[in-house]
Amino acid sequence: QVQLVESGGGSVQAGGSLRLSCAASQYTYGSYCMGWFRQPPGKEREGVAAIDSDGSTSYADSVKGRFTISKDNAKNTLYLQMNSLKPEDTAMYYCAAGPGDLLTLGWALVSDEYNYWGQGTQVTVS
């Protein structure tokens, strides 16, 4: 059982930056695809970014050029650097772990494909 714990959320003004972190209870980044998802108030959960064991990445169009996903295998930690934040980025952000081939299959931003989820961290942009 993989346990994921997000941190780094908060309130920020438009144009600002935040970095989210996701700590895993065990080594995951060598075999899992790791993703960041978000759920705005009253809306469905959506994929934001994903990274696989090779370091290949995928981003939602809405965040390309502004968000960067990365990982530190030695620390079992996933990151999401968010720059140029907009009010529409306001959401609960979740990290998730799923099968390692999700990115290759083109499903890396599909939440139903992920097996393990963190509890979420709130990001509010005003």
Side-chain angles (χ1 to χ4, degrees):
Q1 183 79 8
V2 176
Q3 293 182 328
L4 304 171
V5 179
E6 303 95 335
S7 61
S11 296
V12 64
Q13 290 188 336
S17 298
L18 283 174
R19 188 176 79 156
L20 306 183
S21 299
C22 173
S25 61
Q26 64 188 64
Y27 182 66
T28 59
Y29 305 124
S31 57
Y32 287 86
C33 181
M34 303 299 299
W36 284 101
F37 293 80
R38 66 186 182 186
Q39 187 164 16
K43 296 184 178 181
E44 296 290 319
R45 187 175 297 186
E46 61 184 15
V48 175
I51 186 167
D52 70 8
S53 59
D54 294 333
S56 297
T57 58
S58 178
Y59 293 93
D61 289 343
S62 59
V63 306
K64 281 181 181 177
R66 300 188 298 122
F67 290 11
T68 302
I69 189 171
S70 63
K71 59 181 179 173
D72 185 331
N73 291 341
K75 295 182 178 180
N76 287 351
T77 303
L78 179 73
Y79 302 100
L80 184 68
Q81 178 67 43
M82 304 186 295
N83 299 327
S84 302
L85 282 161
K86 304 175 181 180
E88 51 263 45
D89 294 319
T90 294
M92 184 70 78
Y93 282 72
Y94 301 89
C95 71
D101 58 353
L102 285 180
L103 206 142
T104 302
L105 293 172
W107 299 338
L109 299 182
V110 179
S111 61
D112 288 347
E113 300 297 328
Y114 285 76
N115 308 107
Y116 303 102
W117 292 84
Q119 83 291 347
T121 185
Q122 178 68 38
V123 172
T124 302
V125 185
S126 59

